[in-house]
Amino acid sequence: MTPALTDVDRAIRRNRAAALRRPPVLVAAVVVVAVAAWVLLLADGTPAGAAADDPGKFLVTALDAVTFAGLSFVAASGFTLIFGLMRTVNMAHGSLFLLAAYVAIRVQEAMVGRSRNIDPADVGLLDWVVPLLAGAGVAAVLGLLIQQVFLQWNEGQEMRQTLMTLAITVVLADQMLREFGGLAQRMVWPGTVTHFFSIFGERYAATRLFMLAIAVLIGVLLWLWLNRTSIGMVIRAGVDDRQMVRGLGINIRRVFALTFLVGSFLAGVGGVLGASFAGAAPGTDGSWLLNALVVVIIGGLGSLKGAAAGSLLYGTVVAFSPAYLPSQYSYYAIIMTFGLLALVLAVRPYGLFGRPA
């Protein structure tokens, strides 16, 4: 038998762990200071220029980072519920994102009465909100169906869940290509939010701030649901100890089905926002699944505040890299994402707010 650890042994292990974490933390601090100095003072040969010389472009880039982070958070929050909190692997999350976008576009076209060249002035707020709810609703129902038919009976078998949902992704991609075609399509913002304002002489679209406001509202409602309602407490308790929750007479399968439904609905909301922001096309599902994975890895599994922090960091890198890398190296901006992942995981192996499973 292994002898019990004494207090001295535990102290030694804690000191060793702290010593191992210290170099990555110092490296991360040096990198942050160096990047801040570069962006503020030294970035003369970059597309945006040094922030001290051109504060307008800096503020626009910062707003781009925050608004893209909002969209990433909406897309990743559903993934956080399903993958991070329930520990259920759903690689069809991106397909739900894209399907909701296509459905919303079709519903909006039917409501407006036109299928091409829709002007924002022709789109009222209801002509955007109703398609949003319709598309997200379809994604929620399909997600629940996937969970009940394919995933419920093999909980804890991550490899099997991965392969099954990847197969579902391929099937859905083919069917969406057949039904909606291979050309890019766009959801049109309502005319009430489609205008520009000026920031230090730079024009900025109000639609991006509208998208950010929706993301903030979703984040607040989701936090209240998980932390201030009885069903949210049951969800968190069920993740930690399912047998104990079952022993209290609570139907944990029904609770997790509701969680999957909400997570799929959020994927659909993200899809409609994404279609309004950048359009929808074949391949968009894979791109946004990757975005959600990056956010969840950075923030940590099962943490809503981790998803928010991960989205903000990811959005900052996505927005600032092409703007503040030297012009001849701006096409290397994508590498900065992997640098962010490496830096965060070196300092916090389970993500910023994650914990061991």
Side-chain angles (χ1 to χ4, degrees):
M1 295 178 62
T2 303
L5 291 176
T6 65
D7 291 339
V8 174
D9 293 329
R10 294 191 184 95
I12 292 173
R13 290 193 175 188
R14 283 197 298 268
N15 290 336
R16 285 176 179 173
L20 289 173
R21 287 196 300 267
R22 199 170 295 125
V25 171
L26 292 175
V27 171
V30 170
V31 169
V32 170
V33 171
V35 169
W38 173 265
V39 169
L40 293 174
L41 303 171
L42 305 174
D44 291 328
T46 64
D53 298 329
D54 196 340
K57 288 184 178 177
F58 172 78
L59 287 175
V60 165
T61 306
L63 282 174
D64 285 347
V66 175
T67 51
F68 181 78
L71 176 57
S72 300
F73 171 77
V74 175
S77 58
F79 200 71
T80 297
L81 282 177
I82 294 171
F83 179 51
L85 200 58
M86 293 173 56
R87 297 297 193 267
T88 299
V89 181
N90 179 25
M91 302 304 286
H93 188 82
S95 297
L96 299 177
F97 181 99
L98 183 57
L99 177 62
Y102 280 139
V103 170
I105 290 170
R106 285 289 177 88
V107 173
Q108 186 182 65
E109 290 174 351
M111 293 182 68
V112 174
R114 298 171 61 184
S115 60
R116 293 183 182 180
N117 302 322
I118 299 176
D119 191 89
D122 299 327
V123 180
L125 192 58
L126 281 179
D127 296 328
W128 190 83
V129 172
V130 172
L132 167 73
L133 296 176
V138 170
V141 172
L142 180 59
L144 180 62
L145 184 64
I146 292 172
Q147 191 261 347
Q148 291 291 304
V149 175
F150 298 103
L151 300 178
Q152 179 177 239
W153 53 273
N154 54 26
E155 292 176 354
Q157 302 180 51
E158 288 84 3
M159 183 57 68
R160 179 174 291 182
Q161 291 177 341
T162 301
L163 294 175
M164 292 177 68
T165 51
L166 281 174
I168 293 170
T169 296
V170 173
V171 173
L172 289 176
D174 284 344
Q175 294 304 309
M176 285 188 285
L177 181 62
R178 181 188 67 84
E179 179 65 27
F180 302 107
L183 298 178
Q185 303 178 42
R186 181 180 290 271
M187 180 91 165
V188 181
W189 292 108
T192 52
V193 300
T194 308
H195 57 269
F196 294 87
F197 59 94
S198 179
I199 305 176
F200 285 92
E202 300 286 337
R203 297 180 72 206
Y204 201 76
T207 51
R208 296 190 69 131
L209 298 182
F210 178 67
M211 181 173 67
L212 177 62
I214 293 175
V216 171
L217 176 62
I218 288 173
V220 170
L221 292 177
L222 196 55
W223 184 86
L224 290 173
W225 182 58
L226 288 174
N227 294 278
R228 292 291 185 267
T229 66
S230 58
I231 188 67
M233 295 176 186
V234 169
I235 291 170
R236 290 183 287 113
V239 171
D240 292 332
D241 193 338
R242 296 189 184 191
Q243 297 303 321
M244 182 271 293
V245 174
R246 287 193 180 100
L248 294 174
I250 297 172
N251 189 333
I252 193 65
R253 287 186 178 274
R254 186 176 300 170
V255 171
F256 276 9
L258 175 63
T259 307
F260 210 97
L261 182 76
V262 173
S264 301
F265 182 85
L266 290 173
V269 173
V272 178
L273 287 174
S276 303
F277 170 67
T284 306
D285 49 350
S287 299
W288 280 101
L289 175 63
L290 180 60
N291 289 339
L293 276 170
V294 169
V295 167
V296 171
I297 291 171
I298 293 173
L301 291 177
S303 172
L304 190 61
K305 60 183 178 182
S311 299
L312 191 57
L313 280 176
Y314 182 49
T316 300
V317 169
V318 168
F320 275 84
S321 295
Y324 286 97
L325 281 176
S327 298
Q328 64 270 31
Y329 298 112
S330 58
Y331 48 83
Y332 288 121
I334 185 64
I335 298 177
M336 296 298 104
T337 300
F338 299 102
L340 173 65
L341 279 171
L343 193 63
V344 169
L345 294 180
V347 177
R348 302 281 297 178
Y350 296 103
L352 294 175
F353 295 95
R355 60 179 181 175

